[in-house]
Amino acid sequence: MTRAPAATWGQAAVSAVILGVLGLQAVAASASVEKRLWPFMNYPMYRRVLYDGQLVNRFVVVGRQDDGREVVLAPLDGHENYWLFFRTFIRPVIALEDNSADAAARRHVTAYCAAYREHYGRTLTDLRLENHPSRITRRGLQPAEPSVIGVLSVAPEPAGAS
Amino acid sequence: MSLARLWQRWTGYWFRPAPLLTLDVCRVLIVGNQLWELLGRYGFITSRAGLPEALYDPLPVFRLLTLPWGWNGWSSLLEGPWLYRPSAALVDWLFMLAVAVGVTALIGVYTRASLMAFALGSLLLQALAYSFGDHHHPEALTIITVALLALSPAGRTLSVDAWHQRRTWLTARSPMAGWPLATVQWLFAIVYLSAAGSKLAVAGWDWMNGFTLQYHLAVDATHNGVGLGLWLSRQHALVQALSWMTILFEATFFLVLLMPRLRWVYLPLGAAFHIGIYFAMHAPFFPWVVLYAAFIPWASVAGFRRRVS
C-alpha cells in the first residue's frame, strides 16, 4: 500500500479551505442569512425598484421635551451613522406606531430616550412620527405633502409607581 | 469522469506553480490598504464601546471568537444575550495590537503568523463594531483575503523574513502560491454575480428604468451631502445608461475567470465604477479596487522569468 505524499495532504487541506470559503460566500450571497455568516455576506444593495411618479416615504421623529420644546431627533453621540440611527430608532418607532414592535424595538426606543436624557439633560415625553415623502420624477426627487402618522407617549413613570 | 481525473484537474487549476513575487506584491498592497482602513476606522470602532447595552447584539463570529467568556447556552451562539462585552480600554489595546501585527505583516516579519494575527484582529474589531444593529459591506472581502494569505507561502520574497534568510527568490514559483489569489478572483465573481442576481430577482428588468438608480443616488447623496450625486440624480437618461452598465458589469464579471485577458477591460471599468460610486454616493469601496491586485500577474508585469521553488 502506497502512502500519499505530504504535498497531496497539504493540497487536500487547502482544497477544503477553498471549498469552505467559496461555499460560505455562495450560501451567504444566495440565502437570507442577514449577518449570521459575516464576513461572508450577501450584496443586495440598491435592489429596490422604483417608478416614475412613485411616492417614497421619509420618516422623521419629532420629540417633545419636558420643557414643552419640540426638536427633530437626530443621531446622538455614538449614533454618528445615520443607518444605525434609522435601524435602532426610527424603524422601532414606526413599528411601535403600527403595533408590530417586538421587545427589541421597545428596548431600542427606551435606550434612545435614556441616552437623550443623559446627553441633553432633558426628558422626552412624546415622539411624533411624521412622513415627509418625495415623488420620483425625471428631474430627481420632488418634495410631496408631509403628514403626521401618530404620537407616542414615552414619559417615564413617576418614581414609586407600580 | 473518474475521481482521480477530477482531482488531477482540480489540482491542475488551483495548484499549478505560480510566482511567489505576485503573492507578495498582493500581500503588501492588500495588507497596507487594510492597515490604512483600520487606522481610519479607529473612531468608529472605539466609539461603539460607548453605545447603550440595549443595542449590543454581537455577530455570531464575534461570539465564536469570545466563546470562553460569553457562553450563555447553545442558542446564544447565534443570537440573544451574550455574557461578554469588551471594555473601552481593552478595545483600545486590541486595536493597537492589531495595528502592530498589521505592520509586521506588511513588512514581512514572521509573515504568516503576523498575517493570521492581523486577520483575527481585524475580524474581531470589525465584528465588534458591527454588533450594534448596523453592518456594512466594504471590509469583509479584505479580511477574508488576509486570512487566506496567512495560509499561503506569503513572505518568501518581499519581506524582512526573506532578507534575513538571504532567500530573496524573486523568480521562484510555488504550487501553493496561486490558490489564495484565485480564490479571491472567484469570490469577486460570486459577489458581483449575486449582486446582479439580487437586483434582477427583486426588480427584474425594471431595475434599469433609470428612476430606481435616480432614487438611490438622491437618497445617499442627500444623507452624505454629495453634490455630484444630487446632480446625477436629476439626469434621467444618463442614470438609465449607468443602470444598464452596472448590471452588465456585475452579471458578466465572471468572464474574467474564463478569459483572463478580459481583466484589462473589467478591472479599469470596476475601478471607475467603485470610485464613481464613492464620488456620487460616498459608498467607500476603495478596498475592492485594491483587491483587484489579485487579478494582476505582477511577476510577468515585472518581467521575471520562471523558476520552480
Side-chain angles (χ1 to χ4, degrees), chain A residues 14-15 35 39 41-44 46-52 56 78 80-82 84 108 138-140, chain B residues 10 44 51 55 59 132 135-137 140 179 198 206-207 209 211-212 214-216 220 223 233-234 236:
Chain A
V14 169
S15 297
K35 50 190 185 179
M41 318 172 70
N42 63 350
Y43 292 81
Y46 310 118
R47 67 179 168 176
R48 182 183 171 196
V49 64
L50 296 117
Y51 298 95
D52 190 12
V56 184
E80 78 288 343
N81 181 307
Y82 174 80
L84 174 64
H108 285 163
R138 286 176 183 269
R139 288 170 290 109
Chain B
W10 172 269
F44 175 72
L51 287 176
L55 297 181
L59 296 180
F132 296 88
H135 64 291
H136 305 277
H137 291 81
W179 71 266
S198 180
D206 285 353
W207 194 86
N209 65 14
F211 298 103
T212 297
Q214 276 182 280
Y215 165 76
H216 293 302
D220 275 16
H223 280 307
S233 74
R234 297 185 198 110
H236 179 74

Side-chain angles (χ1 to χ4, degrees), chain B:
Chain B
M1 189 184 291
S2 72
L3 211 56
R5 179 94 181 114
L6 196 66
W7 174 249
Q8 197 179 16
R9 289 190 70 166
W10 172 269
T11 53
Y13 178 81
W14 293 99
F15 303 110
R16 60 173 172 255
L20 287 163
L21 179 64
T22 296
L23 189 65
D24 271 334
V25 171
C26 289
R27 185 199 95 233
V28 170
L29 291 173
I30 292 165
V31 169
N33 177 254
Q34 171 61 11
L35 197 53
W36 174 260
E37 294 284 332
L38 189 64
L39 287 167
R41 285 196 288 271
Y42 174 76
F44 175 72
I45 291 170
T46 52
S47 71
R48 297 295 165 119
L51 287 176
E53 189 66 28
L55 297 181
Y56 184 53
D57 180 19
L59 296 180
V61 70
F62 184 84
R63 293 168 191 255
L64 205 60
L65 290 170
T66 59
L67 190 65
W69 302 281
W71 174 259
N72 193 21
W74 285 106
S75 62
S76 73
L77 278 176
L78 284 179
E79 56 194 357
W82 188 243
L83 301 179
Y84 179 72
R85 180 177 174 184
S87 66
L90 182 59
V91 173
D92 251 353
W93 274 105
L94 286 172
F95 192 92
M96 284 188 279
L97 201 60
V99 169
V101 290
V103 170
T104 54
L106 176 67
I107 61 175
V109 176
Y110 297 106
T111 311
R112 292 173 70 176
S114 295
L115 282 166
M116 188 48 80
F118 188 46
L120 280 173
S122 298
L123 189 68
L124 187 77
L125 290 166
Q126 201 60 57
L128 175 66
Y130 288 161
S131 291
F132 296 88
D134 67 330
H135 64 291
H136 305 277
H137 291 81
E139 309 86 6
L141 279 184
T142 305
I143 293 174
I144 294 169
T145 303
V146 176
L148 293 175
L149 289 173
L151 302 175
S152 76
R156 286 171 60 181
T157 59
L158 302 179
S159 67
V160 173
D161 287 344
W163 172 76
H164 188 64
Q165 294 163 14
R166 291 184 173 79
R167 291 195 311 179
T168 48
W169 297 335
L170 289 177
T171 54
R173 299 167 81 93
S174 161
M176 285 295 181
W179 71 266
L181 305 181
T183 307
V184 174
Q185 294 171 11
W186 275 84
L187 284 173
F188 266 110
I190 295 172
V191 163
Y192 282 135
L193 194 59
S194 70
S198 180
K199 292 180 184 84
L200 293 176
V202 169
W205 299 109
D206 285 353
W207 194 86
M208 288 81 87
N209 65 14
F211 298 103
T212 297
L213 193 52
Q214 276 182 280
Y215 165 76
H216 293 302
L217 275 163
V219 169
D220 275 16
T222 304
H223 280 307
N224 298 318
V226 191
L228 176 65
L230 282 174
W231 176 83
L232 207 52
S233 74
R234 297 185 198 110
Q235 317 303 319
H236 179 74
L238 177 57
V239 173
Q240 193 169 20
L242 289 174
S243 308
W244 276 98
M245 284 172 66
T246 301
I247 287 291
L248 278 174
F249 171 79
E250 290 181 342
T252 60
F253 187 89
F254 71 92
L255 291 174
V256 174
L257 296 177
L258 307 176
M259 290 173 273
R261 281 187 180 182
L262 283 177
R263 63 180 161 238
W264 303 119
V265 175
Y266 275 84
L267 299 188
L269 263 179
F273 175 60
H274 289 301
I275 292 169
I277 286 175
Y278 178 77
F279 283 112
M281 303 163 95
H282 269 196
F285 278 84
F286 290 122
W288 285 28
V289 178
V290 177
L291 283 178
Y292 283 174
F295 289 88
I296 297 174
W298 294 99
S300 305
V301 170
F304 285 103
R305 271 185 270 156
R306 187 186 186 107
R307 168 179 166 176
V308 178
S309 167

